[in-house]
Amino acid sequence: MKTKQILSVGLVIGTLCLCFGCSVTGPLARRQVAPGLSQLSRAERQERQSDYRPQVVKLQRDSNTFFLAPVDTLADGERVMSLQIEQVTVVAKMRSVPERNGRVVLDFIVSLPKQLLGGNRSVVITPVLHKPDGRMELEDLVIRGGRFSLLQQRDYWQYETYVDRFRPDTLGREAAFNRFVKFPYPEDARLDSVVERRGMMTYYYSEEVPTDETSKRMTVTLEGKVLGIDDSSYRLPPSDTLDYVVSSMLSFVDTLPRYCIRIIDKYVTVTDRSYIRFHVGRTEVVDTLGDNRRQLDKIADLMRRIVGQEEFFVDAMTLTATASPEGRYTANEALAQGRAQALKRYLVRRFGRQLDTMLTVRWEAEDWDELTRLIKGSRELPHRDEILALIAAEKNPDRRERMIRERFPQDYAHIKREIYPRLRAVTCRYDLRRKGMVKDTIHTTEPDTTYARGVELLRKRKYAQALYILDGYGDRNTVVAHLSLGHDEQALELLAALPKDAVTEYLKAIACSRLGRKDEGRKHFLEACRLDEHMEYRGNLDPEITELLKD
């Protein structure tokens, strides 16, 4: 084993001595050699898609990852790298690609001229995807010459030998790697191969990328560099540009506005509930007590908006104050009355004397209906059902409150701490009448803004968000959202309930093709073409339709 390694090192060292003072990449820079980038013909694409073999074999060895080209086995048992060399005949710069499930497949052919390939060089090609919102580098293609590969093997052998002998720590291993390994093996490369002979090399590159609202058009270019074993380098000049126009289900989006019926009532009631704190047994309004300032400002702001608006007449304004049930009923009634009148005086001081005649004051000593509702909604009361039964059976409020306190002391403590403060409330009710309206109710139509927002999200390719809004409508746009997300069964069910036309028949054909129901899908497609001859041309953009028409 050591003998082979020493021979490899000697071969590399001998190669280094053959540079004759001229850099390995110098001739490339002078000639401005660049890789080619081209689209595939339809026949080539079908052939590539029908080839079941993987493009790249991924191997794990220790902590390193290697990417190798597919291999074939010859009759004598020798395994050779299988890179198809072909003449590229199509150089179209633009092509339509279908979007499915929020993604598109971009494929193209990278051609490396023989001038770039050599035993002393490593070529790194990086396809770059350009979109309006930025650029994204795709996985590299790395093609190394035989002598360059031997140099890498020697460097890794020296590094591993050093680590085995001296066993350095993590920092020491990193320093040793930087010292011994001049050209590290590539990481996350689409192709990492070694070529022994010169000649044109082509590589079929295919990448699935997600789409978004900026993905109507995509562009691919090539970047890269050539490294020589003598440390020389050559930055490849700009390559050809390939443009991709993304074809999606969005061409079937129905952009007509949807309207909803709105019922307008002549009489409208506005109710607002606030919580004002008072000192125990007192009725004076103290705006600095607790959260009173914010609560009082809320009451005043709503009252100002209602009085100042021009759409309605204010028929009545009613202020109702309530107290909590602890203590005697008669005392609570007096407190509720005094607090309601005190709040009216406070509001009159803020708005002026005209409010005195508009505002009616009412009071309720103990709001047992609200207390019952709050107890029903509480999960913190072990004896909730027993308490509710007691409230329904006992008519005397003072006896009712005392029985709860005595029979269920723990529950009562929670009620007094958490629920009673919510009963000390002020409710303002505004009875309004719409100006100029004769009938009690009228029906009118207005744009459905919720639906419009769903359509806008759909057109921006935010399919999941769009479906969340459109799911309840069950129309063509709902179908488009389902198809864009790959929900083909749901889409077909919705299409069965829609009126028959060319678009619905075409979408049925798409769904059937994806579900493997070819005969049914072919019938729907032919019916769509009968209803609208343009659907035949639209079918050329959809691989699902192409699949339906195959024998």
Side-chain angles (χ1 to χ4, degrees), residues 418-471:
E418 301 294 337
I419 297 180
Y420 275 3
R422 300 170 66 181
L423 302 179
R424 304 171 196 133
V426 177
T427 302
C428 295
R429 174 185 170 119
Y430 306 90
D431 295 308
L432 310 177
R433 175 167 42 92
R434 200 177 300 274
K435 295 179 180 179
M437 185 171 171
V438 178
K439 296 182 178 180
D440 288 346
T441 59
I442 60 174
H443 296 72
T444 184
T445 57
E446 60 182 21
D448 189 338
T449 56
T450 301
Y451 181 81
R453 185 166 63 254
V455 174
E456 183 64 22
L457 289 169
L458 184 61
R459 298 177 69 178
K460 290 182 177 180
R461 290 185 165 87
K462 298 180 179 180
Y463 300 123
Q465 298 179 42
L467 183 59
Y468 182 80
I469 294 175
L470 300 175
D471 196 29

Side-chain angles (χ1 to χ4, degrees), residues 366-428:
E366 300 170 359
D367 191 353
W368 283 94
D369 290 338
E370 180 67 9
L371 176 61
T372 300
R373 188 186 69 81
L374 294 174
I375 290 176
K376 286 181 178 179
S378 176
R379 298 182 179 179
E380 307 296 330
L381 301 175
H383 303 90
R384 179 181 59 183
D385 295 339
E386 294 91 329
I387 294 173
L388 291 173
L390 191 155
I391 293 174
E394 180 55 55
K395 304 305 180 183
N396 185 290
D398 289 337
R399 188 180 301 115
R400 182 191 301 157
E401 205 267 346
R402 185 179 68 253
M403 292 171 66
I404 296 174
R405 182 175 67 250
E406 293 174 351
R407 294 184 184 182
F408 312 104
Q410 293 182 351
D411 297 70
Y412 180 82
H414 176 80
I415 292 172
K416 185 175 180 179
R417 183 179 65 254
E418 301 294 337
I419 297 180
Y420 275 3
R422 300 170 66 181
L423 302 179
R424 304 171 196 133
V426 177
T427 302
C428 295

Side-chain angles (χ1 to χ4, degrees), residues 278-338:
F278 294 87
H279 289 295
V280 178
R282 306 294 295 273
T283 60
E284 296 83 1
V285 177
V286 182
D287 57 8
T288 57
L289 182 64
D291 193 37
N292 283 359
R293 169 59 65 183
R294 189 177 66 85
Q295 295 290 327
L296 291 168
D297 287 344
K298 180 169 73 76
I299 295 173
D301 289 343
L302 179 58
M303 190 172 292
R304 183 180 296 108
R305 291 201 304 271
I306 289 178
V307 172
Q309 53 80 34
E310 298 182 355
E311 186 178 357
F312 296 91
F313 291 112
V314 180
D315 286 338
M317 299 171 59
T318 306
L319 185 151
T320 304
T322 57
S324 54
E326 73 269 38
R328 294 182 61 82
Y329 184 87
T330 54
N332 289 335
E333 186 175 28
L335 281 176
Q337 180 182 2

Side-chain angles (χ1 to χ4, degrees), residues 241-252:
T241 300
L242 299 183
D243 291 320
Y244 296 85
V245 178
V246 177
S247 170
S248 68
M249 295 286 100
L250 297 183
S251 59
F252 296 110

